[in-house]
Amino acid sequence: MSKNIDWSNLGFAYMETENRFVSNYKDGAWDEGEITTDSTVTISECAGVLQYAQTCFEGLKAYTTEDGRVVCFRPDLNAQRMIDSCKRLEMPTFPEDRFVDAVVKTVQANIDYVPPYGSGATLYIRPYMFGTNPVIGVKPADEYQFRIFVTPVGPYFKGGAKPITIRVSDFDRAAPHGTGHIKAGLNYAMSLHAIVDAHEQGYSENMYLDPATRTKVEETGGANFIFITKDGKFVTPKSDSILPSITL
Ligand SMILES: *Cc1c(COP(=O)(O)O)cnc(C)c1O
């Protein structure tokens, strides 16, 4: 039975659902993982993620189709992108087949939260990983947790598919040869000041320029750009400091 939720008026916010997937990495291996109802995480006060931000994440959605099936868009590519993020952050990788299987299990375990076709809402799926054991000298953790939770969401920007105003940011989102190409939590921590300031000035988002020369468009704080030229060509920026899109 679908939950009694006002699907058409959902914002982009966290709503706790019944089930999530959790797997732990210890002594060089991932355990089997399981679906659990526990929405809390208990870790050491000195956990690697808390001291040195060793964490990365993914984001994808489940949709109800017109004929009532529930589908995801290219979850294998999210798995691969997370593998790339983990390698750059010296974290263990969660294998692609196990990632896709865990996404399917988590959606199935929360099937009543998948918004109906035509509501404009979707089920947002958030896989993530973080270092859990105590780390005080700067080095990678030895133990990690991989989790997936889901939450029903409306459009990311208020007002849905309406034009938004953005501004060219005075801040950079990524350093040349840095971590702009991976979905690391640290990239978003350092974008918070710029987004709060953008909102205060009446803009929905920041347009970030290439960090080396600040002459080319890269992306926004949370999404890539697509440009259509006057003569109808589809153009996307190419740069080593852009987060590679799965949508495009
Ligand atoms: C996640 C993300 C993207 C890509 O989004 P997709 O939904 O995978 O296409 C682009 N830019 C930034 C900064 C992101 O965080």
Side-chain angles (χ1 to χ4, degrees), residues 148-194:
I148 306 178
F149 67 75
V150 297
T151 188
V153 293
Y156 190 78
F157 293 105
K158 283 192 201 116
K162 291 201 190 116
I164 58 167
T165 52
I166 60 174
R167 64 156 187 197
V168 176
S169 178
D170 292 334
F171 301 99
D172 295 325
R173 71 168 284 280
H177 316 293
T179 54
H181 61 300
I182 60 166
K183 238 172 159 67
L186 53 93
N187 290 338
Y188 304 85
M190 62 93 235
S191 78
L192 296 176
H193 177 61

Short mmCIF file of all heavy atoms in Angstrom, two decimals, residues 148-194:
data_model
loop_
_atom_site.label_atom_id
_atom_site.label_comp_id
_atom_site.label_asym_id
_atom_site.label_seq_id
_atom_site.Cartn_x
_atom_site.Cartn_y
_atom_site.Cartn_z
N ILE A 148 22.77 2.91 2.23
CA ILE A 148 21.85 3.51 1.25
C ILE A 148 20.55 3.80 1.97
O ILE A 148 19.94 2.88 2.54
CB ILE A 148 21.53 2.58 0.07
CG1 ILE A 148 22.80 2.07 -0.62
CG2 ILE A 148 20.62 3.29 -0.93
CD1 ILE A 148 22.52 1.10 -1.78
N PHE A 149 20.13 5.07 1.97
CA PHE A 149 18.76 5.34 2.40
C PHE A 149 18.00 5.93 1.23
O PHE A 149 18.61 6.31 0.21
CB PHE A 149 18.70 6.24 3.66
CG PHE A 149 19.18 7.66 3.47
CD1 PHE A 149 18.39 8.60 2.81
CD2 PHE A 149 20.40 8.06 3.99
CE1 PHE A 149 18.83 9.90 2.65
CE2 PHE A 149 20.84 9.37 3.84
CZ PHE A 149 20.06 10.29 3.15
N VAL A 150 16.70 5.98 1.34
CA VAL A 150 15.87 6.58 0.29
C VAL A 150 14.93 7.58 0.94
O VAL A 150 14.64 7.47 2.14
CB VAL A 150 15.03 5.51 -0.47
CG1 VAL A 150 15.93 4.53 -1.19
CG2 VAL A 150 14.07 4.80 0.46
N THR A 151 14.49 8.55 0.16
CA THR A 151 13.55 9.53 0.69
C THR A 151 12.74 10.11 -0.47
O THR A 151 13.31 10.42 -1.52
CB THR A 151 14.30 10.62 1.50
OG1 THR A 151 13.35 11.45 2.15
CG2 THR A 151 15.21 11.46 0.65
N PRO A 152 11.42 10.15 -0.35
CA PRO A 152 10.63 10.71 -1.45
C PRO A 152 10.84 12.22 -1.55
O PRO A 152 10.86 12.90 -0.52
CB PRO A 152 9.17 10.39 -1.07
CG PRO A 152 9.18 10.00 0.36
CD PRO A 152 10.59 9.70 0.78
N VAL A 153 11.04 12.70 -2.76
CA VAL A 153 11.33 14.13 -2.95
C VAL A 153 10.53 14.72 -4.11
O VAL A 153 10.16 14.03 -5.05
CB VAL A 153 12.83 14.39 -3.24
CG1 VAL A 153 13.69 14.05 -2.04
CG2 VAL A 153 13.30 13.63 -4.48
N GLY A 154 10.32 16.03 -4.00
CA GLY A 154 9.79 16.81 -5.12
C GLY A 154 10.96 17.40 -5.89
O GLY A 154 12.09 16.95 -5.74
N PRO A 155 10.71 18.42 -6.69
CA PRO A 155 11.77 19.03 -7.49
C PRO A 155 12.87 19.64 -6.64
O PRO A 155 12.61 20.13 -5.54
CB PRO A 155 11.05 20.13 -8.28
CG PRO A 155 9.61 20.01 -7.98
CD PRO A 155 9.40 19.07 -6.86
N TYR A 156 14.13 19.62 -7.13
CA TYR A 156 15.28 20.14 -6.39
C TYR A 156 15.16 21.64 -6.16
O TYR A 156 15.48 22.15 -5.09
CB TYR A 156 16.57 19.83 -7.16
CG TYR A 156 17.82 20.09 -6.38
CD1 TYR A 156 18.26 19.20 -5.41
CD2 TYR A 156 18.56 21.26 -6.57
CE1 TYR A 156 19.40 19.44 -4.67
CE2 TYR A 156 19.71 21.52 -5.83
CZ TYR A 156 20.13 20.60 -4.89
OH TYR A 156 21.26 20.86 -4.15
N PHE A 157 14.72 22.37 -7.18
CA PHE A 157 14.54 23.81 -7.03
C PHE A 157 13.06 24.10 -6.79
O PHE A 157 12.20 23.51 -7.44
CB PHE A 157 15.03 24.56 -8.26
CG PHE A 157 16.52 24.47 -8.44
CD1 PHE A 157 17.07 23.65 -9.41
CD2 PHE A 157 17.35 25.19 -7.61
CE1 PHE A 157 18.46 23.55 -9.55
CE2 PHE A 157 18.74 25.10 -7.75
CZ PHE A 157 19.29 24.28 -8.72
N LYS A 158 12.79 25.02 -5.86
CA LYS A 158 11.41 25.44 -5.59
C LYS A 158 10.76 25.88 -6.88
O LYS A 158 11.36 26.59 -7.67
CB LYS A 158 11.40 26.63 -4.60
CG LYS A 158 11.64 26.25 -3.17
CD LYS A 158 11.31 27.45 -2.25
CE LYS A 158 12.01 27.30 -0.91
NZ LYS A 158 13.01 28.35 -0.65
N GLY A 159 9.52 25.48 -7.10
CA GLY A 159 8.82 25.93 -8.29
C GLY A 159 8.94 24.97 -9.46
O GLY A 159 8.35 25.18 -10.51
N GLY A 160 9.73 23.88 -9.26
CA GLY A 160 9.80 22.83 -10.28
C GLY A 160 10.52 23.26 -11.53
O GLY A 160 11.51 23.98 -11.46
N ALA A 161 10.01 22.86 -12.69
CA ALA A 161 10.69 23.12 -13.96
C ALA A 161 10.41 24.54 -14.44
O ALA A 161 9.85 24.75 -15.51
CB ALA A 161 10.27 22.09 -14.99
N LYS A 162 10.77 25.50 -13.60
CA LYS A 162 10.65 26.92 -13.97
C LYS A 162 12.06 27.47 -14.06
O LYS A 162 12.97 26.96 -13.42
CB LYS A 162 9.88 27.68 -12.88
CG LYS A 162 8.41 27.32 -12.79
CD LYS A 162 7.63 28.44 -12.11
CE LYS A 162 6.21 28.00 -11.79
NZ LYS A 162 5.96 27.96 -10.34
N PRO A 163 12.26 28.56 -14.82
CA PRO A 163 13.61 29.14 -14.89
C PRO A 163 14.09 29.56 -13.51
O PRO A 163 13.29 29.96 -12.66
CB PRO A 163 13.41 30.36 -15.79
CG PRO A 163 12.17 30.09 -16.56
CD PRO A 163 11.30 29.26 -15.67
N ILE A 164 15.40 29.43 -13.27
CA ILE A 164 15.99 29.89 -12.02
C ILE A 164 17.04 30.94 -12.35
O ILE A 164 17.51 31.03 -13.48
CB ILE A 164 16.64 28.74 -11.21
CG1 ILE A 164 17.73 28.04 -12.04
CG2 ILE A 164 15.59 27.74 -10.75
CD1 ILE A 164 18.61 27.13 -11.21
N THR A 165 17.38 31.75 -11.33
CA THR A 165 18.45 32.73 -11.56
C THR A 165 19.71 32.21 -10.90
O THR A 165 19.68 31.71 -9.77
CB THR A 165 18.10 34.11 -10.96
OG1 THR A 165 17.72 33.90 -9.60
CG2 THR A 165 16.97 34.76 -11.71
N ILE A 166 20.82 32.29 -11.62
CA ILE A 166 22.10 31.88 -11.07
C ILE A 166 23.09 33.03 -11.25
O ILE A 166 22.86 33.93 -12.04
CB ILE A 166 22.64 30.61 -11.76
CG1 ILE A 166 22.83 30.84 -13.25
CG2 ILE A 166 21.71 29.44 -11.52
CD1 ILE A 166 23.49 29.68 -13.94
N ARG A 167 24.15 32.98 -10.49
CA ARG A 167 25.17 34.03 -10.61
C ARG A 167 26.54 33.36 -10.78
O ARG A 167 26.75 32.22 -10.36
CB ARG A 167 25.18 34.90 -9.37
CG ARG A 167 25.58 34.08 -8.15
CD ARG A 167 26.16 34.91 -7.03
NE ARG A 167 26.67 34.01 -6.00
CZ ARG A 167 26.93 34.38 -4.77
NH1 ARG A 167 26.72 35.61 -4.39
NH2 ARG A 167 27.42 33.53 -3.89
N VAL A 168 27.46 34.10 -11.37
CA VAL A 168 28.84 33.62 -11.45
C VAL A 168 29.44 33.78 -10.07
O VAL A 168 29.40 34.85 -9.47
CB VAL A 168 29.64 34.44 -12.48
CG1 VAL A 168 31.11 34.00 -12.48
CG2 VAL A 168 29.03 34.28 -13.87
N SER A 169 29.97 32.69 -9.51
CA SER A 169 30.49 32.72 -8.15
C SER A 169 31.89 33.32 -8.10
O SER A 169 32.71 33.09 -9.00
CB SER A 169 30.53 31.29 -7.59
OG SER A 169 31.07 31.31 -6.29
N ASP A 170 32.16 34.07 -7.03
CA ASP A 170 33.52 34.57 -6.80
C ASP A 170 34.41 33.49 -6.19
O ASP A 170 35.62 33.63 -6.11
CB ASP A 170 33.50 35.77 -5.84
CG ASP A 170 32.84 36.98 -6.48
OD1 ASP A 170 32.85 37.08 -7.72
OD2 ASP A 170 32.30 37.82 -5.73
N PHE A 171 33.77 32.41 -5.73
CA PHE A 171 34.53 31.29 -5.15
C PHE A 171 34.71 30.21 -6.20
O PHE A 171 33.92 30.11 -7.14
CB PHE A 171 33.76 30.69 -3.97
CG PHE A 171 33.48 31.68 -2.87
CD1 PHE A 171 32.24 32.30 -2.78
CD2 PHE A 171 34.44 31.98 -1.93
CE1 PHE A 171 31.97 33.21 -1.77
CE2 PHE A 171 34.18 32.89 -0.92
CZ PHE A 171 32.95 33.51 -0.83
N ASP A 172 35.71 29.36 -6.02
CA ASP A 172 35.87 28.17 -6.87
C ASP A 172 35.31 26.96 -6.13
O ASP A 172 35.37 26.90 -4.91
CB ASP A 172 37.35 27.94 -7.18
CG ASP A 172 37.93 29.07 -8.02
OD1 ASP A 172 37.19 29.61 -8.88
OD2 ASP A 172 39.10 29.42 -7.81
N ARG A 173 34.77 25.97 -6.88
CA ARG A 173 34.27 24.77 -6.21
C ARG A 173 35.32 23.67 -6.17
O ARG A 173 35.20 22.70 -5.43
CB ARG A 173 32.97 24.24 -6.82
CG ARG A 173 33.06 23.61 -8.18
CD ARG A 173 31.79 22.86 -8.58
NE ARG A 173 31.65 21.59 -7.91
CZ ARG A 173 32.28 20.48 -8.29
NH1 ARG A 173 33.11 20.47 -9.30
NH2 ARG A 173 32.08 19.35 -7.65
N ALA A 174 36.37 23.81 -6.99
CA ALA A 174 37.37 22.74 -7.06
C ALA A 174 38.71 23.36 -7.42
O ALA A 174 38.76 24.35 -8.15
CB ALA A 174 36.96 21.72 -8.12
N ALA A 175 39.78 22.78 -6.92
CA ALA A 175 41.11 23.24 -7.30
C ALA A 175 41.53 22.52 -8.58
O ALA A 175 41.08 21.40 -8.83
CB ALA A 175 42.10 22.94 -6.19
N PRO A 176 42.41 23.13 -9.39
CA PRO A 176 42.98 22.38 -10.51
C PRO A 176 43.68 21.14 -9.95
O PRO A 176 44.37 21.25 -8.94
CB PRO A 176 44.00 23.36 -11.12
CG PRO A 176 43.64 24.71 -10.60
CD PRO A 176 42.97 24.49 -9.27
N HIS A 177 43.51 19.99 -10.56
CA HIS A 177 44.10 18.72 -10.12
C HIS A 177 43.63 18.33 -8.71
O HIS A 177 44.34 17.62 -7.99
CB HIS A 177 45.64 18.78 -10.15
CG HIS A 177 46.18 19.42 -11.38
ND1 HIS A 177 46.05 18.85 -12.63
CD2 HIS A 177 46.80 20.60 -11.58
CE1 HIS A 177 46.58 19.66 -13.53
NE2 HIS A 177 47.03 20.73 -12.93
N GLY A 178 42.46 18.81 -8.30
CA GLY A 178 41.94 18.51 -6.97
C GLY A 178 40.91 17.39 -7.01
O GLY A 178 41.14 16.35 -7.63
N THR A 179 39.74 17.64 -6.37
CA THR A 179 38.74 16.59 -6.22
C THR A 179 37.40 16.96 -6.85
O THR A 179 36.36 16.37 -6.53
CB THR A 179 38.51 16.28 -4.72
OG1 THR A 179 38.19 17.52 -4.06
CG2 THR A 179 39.73 15.66 -4.09
N GLY A 180 37.42 17.93 -7.79
CA GLY A 180 36.16 18.36 -8.41
C GLY A 180 35.47 17.27 -9.20
O GLY A 180 34.25 17.31 -9.40
N HIS A 181 36.24 16.25 -9.63
CA HIS A 181 35.69 15.19 -10.49
C HIS A 181 35.09 14.03 -9.70
O HIS A 181 34.66 13.04 -10.28
CB HIS A 181 36.79 14.68 -11.42
CG HIS A 181 37.96 14.09 -10.68
ND1 HIS A 181 38.71 14.82 -9.78
CD2 HIS A 181 38.46 12.83 -10.65
CE1 HIS A 181 39.65 14.04 -9.26
NE2 HIS A 181 39.51 12.84 -9.77
N ILE A 182 35.11 14.12 -8.38
CA ILE A 182 34.52 13.03 -7.57
C ILE A 182 33.45 13.60 -6.65
O ILE A 182 33.45 14.79 -6.34
CB ILE A 182 35.58 12.26 -6.74
CG1 ILE A 182 36.30 13.21 -5.76
CG2 ILE A 182 36.57 11.55 -7.68
CD1 ILE A 182 37.08 12.47 -4.69
N LYS A 183 32.54 12.70 -6.21
CA LYS A 183 31.44 13.14 -5.34
C LYS A 183 31.85 12.96 -3.88
O LYS A 183 31.35 12.10 -3.18
CB LYS A 183 30.17 12.34 -5.68
CG LYS A 183 29.00 13.24 -6.10
CD LYS A 183 27.83 12.44 -6.61
CE LYS A 183 26.55 13.23 -6.54
NZ LYS A 183 26.45 14.40 -7.44
N ALA A 184 32.80 13.82 -3.47
CA ALA A 184 33.33 13.78 -2.10
C ALA A 184 32.59 14.81 -1.27
O ALA A 184 32.37 15.92 -1.73
CB ALA A 184 34.82 14.09 -2.12
N GLY A 185 32.23 14.44 -0.02
CA GLY A 185 31.54 15.37 0.87
C GLY A 185 32.26 16.70 0.99
O GLY A 185 31.62 17.75 1.08
N LEU A 186 33.58 16.65 0.99
CA LEU A 186 34.35 17.88 1.18
C LEU A 186 34.07 18.93 0.11
O LEU A 186 34.13 20.13 0.40
CB LEU A 186 35.86 17.55 1.23
CG LEU A 186 36.45 16.74 0.07
CD1 LEU A 186 37.02 17.65 -0.99
CD2 LEU A 186 37.51 15.80 0.59
N ASN A 187 33.74 18.51 -1.12
CA ASN A 187 33.43 19.48 -2.16
C ASN A 187 32.17 20.28 -1.83
O ASN A 187 32.00 21.41 -2.29
CB ASN A 187 33.18 18.79 -3.51
CG ASN A 187 34.45 18.20 -4.09
OD1 ASN A 187 35.55 18.61 -3.74
ND2 ASN A 187 34.30 17.22 -4.96
N TYR A 188 31.27 19.66 -1.08
CA TYR A 188 29.99 20.29 -0.78
C TYR A 188 30.09 21.10 0.50
O TYR A 188 29.45 22.15 0.63
CB TYR A 188 28.89 19.22 -0.77
CG TYR A 188 28.93 18.53 -2.12
CD1 TYR A 188 29.80 17.47 -2.35
CD2 TYR A 188 28.22 19.03 -3.20
CE1 TYR A 188 29.94 16.90 -3.61
CE2 TYR A 188 28.35 18.48 -4.46
CZ TYR A 188 29.22 17.41 -4.66
OH TYR A 188 29.37 16.89 -5.92
N ALA A 189 30.95 20.67 1.44
CA ALA A 189 31.19 21.46 2.66
C ALA A 189 31.70 22.84 2.25
O ALA A 189 31.23 23.87 2.73
CB ALA A 189 32.20 20.76 3.56
N MET A 190 32.65 22.85 1.31
CA MET A 190 33.25 24.14 0.97
C MET A 190 32.36 24.96 0.03
O MET A 190 32.60 26.15 -0.18
CB MET A 190 34.69 23.98 0.49
CG MET A 190 34.88 23.18 -0.75
SD MET A 190 34.90 24.33 -2.09
CE MET A 190 33.61 23.62 -3.06
N SER A 191 31.28 24.36 -0.49
CA SER A 191 30.35 25.13 -1.33
C SER A 191 29.24 25.80 -0.52
O SER A 191 28.49 26.61 -1.05
CB SER A 191 29.72 24.21 -2.39
OG SER A 191 28.68 23.42 -1.81
N LEU A 192 29.14 25.44 0.76
CA LEU A 192 27.99 25.91 1.56
C LEU A 192 28.00 27.44 1.72
O LEU A 192 26.96 28.08 1.62
CB LEU A 192 27.97 25.23 2.93
CG LEU A 192 27.78 23.71 2.89
CD1 LEU A 192 27.86 23.13 4.30
CD2 LEU A 192 26.44 23.35 2.24
N HIS A 193 29.16 27.99 1.97
CA HIS A 193 29.23 29.45 2.14
C HIS A 193 28.76 30.15 0.86
O HIS A 193 27.97 31.10 0.90
CB HIS A 193 30.65 29.88 2.51
CG HIS A 193 30.80 31.36 2.62
ND1 HIS A 193 30.09 32.11 3.53
CD2 HIS A 193 31.54 32.23 1.92
CE1 HIS A 193 30.40 33.38 3.39
NE2 HIS A 193 31.28 33.48 2.41
N ALA A 194 29.22 29.64 -0.29
CA ALA A 194 28.86 30.26 -1.57
C ALA A 194 27.35 30.13 -1.84
O ALA A 194 26.74 31.05 -2.38
CB ALA A 194 29.67 29.63 -2.70
#
